Amino acid sequence: MAFVPFDDRDGWIWMDGDFVPWREAKTHVLTHALHYGSSVFEGERMYGGEIFKLTPHSERLQKSANLLDFDLPYSVAEIDAASIETCRKMGLSDCYVRPVAYRGPEQVSVSAVNNRTHVAIAVWEWPSYFDPETKAKGIRLEWAKWRRPDPMTAPSAAKAAGLYMICTMSKMAAEKRGYADAMMLDWRGYVAEATGANVFFVQDGVIHTPPVDAILDGITRQTVIEMAKAKGIEVVVRHIRPEELSTFSECFLTGTAAEVTPVSEVGEYRFTPGALSLGLMEDYGKLVRGQL
């Protein structure tokens, strides 16, 4: 499939309560969010006409905005409705959904007391985040150069655009060296997450995953923990040091885009996708499609 830039596509984008032709959905170059990172967003998936965990996503968008000290001009229910209507307007029943909220161009300075908050929602077809054939075999990750920041220095509980700068740099660096993604540590040196997905490890049938004291509490992460516990699998949430990876047999990532993706390699450590991670991958696929 030929690459089509995201600013040159057919369709509609919901912006501030109205549908705007896709190519006309623009904001000014002096928008505060472009200069100072005052933007929050969500990543959602619609499967078979239903957006999975839509309201929790909209609630997190609202929470993220509040953490960046601005309020959304729409309620959670209104954002839910606009997300569904945007999918219908685009004629899509299986797609990626991207709501974004950001401060506008009224004031270009560190302070933004006079800036209006804008909200937009775009949807588009979305193939597998990782190559499907490679996914079941496990993807390869390298260690990221950058670390997730101390929550006293950045609002780590927010899905804020500015927090993804080091993720972009880490993932691009990994891809240049033939890896699918990169594993990040937090500022203390504990295992944190991949660039856009939470991480889980398996040891003797028990799942281990980092706490969310310095990273985003992924909605897919929450879902997979619930699924695992429902299957009688013990889940231990704890800090994990990099050298502990030698004691784990399986590793997998979770996220709206990644869904459940087994990992075969993190730096010098190797894993074999097994029954637990492959089973959760299959079960998650059924759950989001209403088959479980």
Side-chain angles (χ1 to χ4, degrees):
M1 182 182 295
F3 173 76
V4 181
F6 269 89
D7 63 346
D8 188 22
R9 300 188 177 199
D10 297 325
W12 302 86
I13 292 176
W14 187 92
M15 292 189 72
D16 296 328
D18 295 309
F19 282 107
V20 178
W22 191 288
R23 293 178 180 84
E24 297 175 22
K26 299 178 181 180
T27 188
H28 198 274
V29 71
L30 294 180
T31 293
H32 193 275
L34 179 62
H35 295 259
Y36 298 103
S38 53
S39 172
V40 297
F41 68 99
E42 280 297 316
E44 305 161 13
R45 294 281 289 272
M46 172 176 270
Y47 299 92
E50 297 288 337
I51 300 175
F52 186 65
K53 297 289 182 78
L54 172 58
T55 297
H57 278 289
S58 298
E59 289 173 341
R60 190 172 65 180
L61 182 73
Q62 186 181 67
K63 176 184 175 183
S64 293
N66 294 158
L67 287 169
L68 267 64
D69 202 26
F70 63 90
D71 295 318
L72 300 186
Y74 302 96
S75 68
V76 167
E78 289 172 322
I79 294 170
D80 281 356
S83 299
I84 294 168
E85 186 59 30
T86 304
C87 294
R88 289 175 179 162
K89 184 80 171 176
M90 289 291 289
L92 297 173
S93 59
D94 290 272
C95 57
Y96 187 80
V97 183
R98 171 53 59 88
V100 59
Y102 57 96
R103 288 190 174 109
E106 291 79 9
Q107 183 176 351
V108 184
S109 65
V110 174
S111 175
V113 294
N114 296 314
N115 292 66
R116 177 187 173 193
T117 297
H118 298 267
V119 180
I121 302 170
V123 306
W124 59 89
E125 291 184 298
W126 182 268
S128 177
Y129 191 57
F130 297 110
D131 175 64
E133 292 185 9
T134 304
K135 185 174 177 179
K137 298 177 182 177
I139 61 170
R140 300 171 60 243
L141 282 67
E142 71 169 1
W143 291 108
K145 168 185 174 181
W146 300 95
R147 295 190 175 193
R148 303 308 296 166
D150 183 336
M152 293 299 291
T153 66
S156 59
K159 194 170 177 67
L163 292 174
Y164 281 79
M165 176 180 65
I166 57 175
C167 300
T168 295
M169 292 189 290
S170 297
K171 186 169 174 64
M172 289 179 63
E175 290 177 342
K176 287 178 182 177
R177 286 188 279 272
Y179 293 89
D181 206 342
M183 183 63 64
M184 308 183 78
L185 303 179
D186 69 16
W187 84 102
R188 299 161 296 192
Y190 293 124
V191 174
E193 60 184 346
T195 60
N198 294 117
V199 64
F200 292 78
F201 301 96
V202 178
Q203 182 185 68
D204 299 326
V206 177
I207 293 177
H208 299 255
T209 191
V212 291
D213 55 357
I215 58 176
L216 190 71
D217 187 5
I219 290 172
T220 307
R221 173 186 182 274
Q222 298 169 25
T223 302
V224 168
I225 289 175
E226 292 171 1
M227 289 172 57
K229 290 182 176 180
K231 296 177 71 172
I233 301 169
E234 183 181 358
V235 180
V236 178
V237 179
R238 65 178 181 85
H239 292 123
I240 299 169
R241 293 201 172 275
E243 58 269 22
E244 289 186 68
L245 271 60
S246 64
T247 69
F248 299 123
S249 58
E250 298 180 50
C251 174
F252 59 92
L253 305 180
T254 64
T256 295
E259 299 178 306
V260 177
T261 298
V263 173
S264 63
E265 179 178 332
V266 177
E268 64 272 37
Y269 302 104
R270 303 292 183 269
F271 310 94
T272 301
L276 198 153
S277 54
L278 293 174
L280 286 171
M281 180 178 74
E282 182 179 356
D283 288 348
Y284 183 80
K286 291 178 179 178
L287 177 68
V288 297
R289 292 172 176 83
Q291 300 169 0
L292 191 66

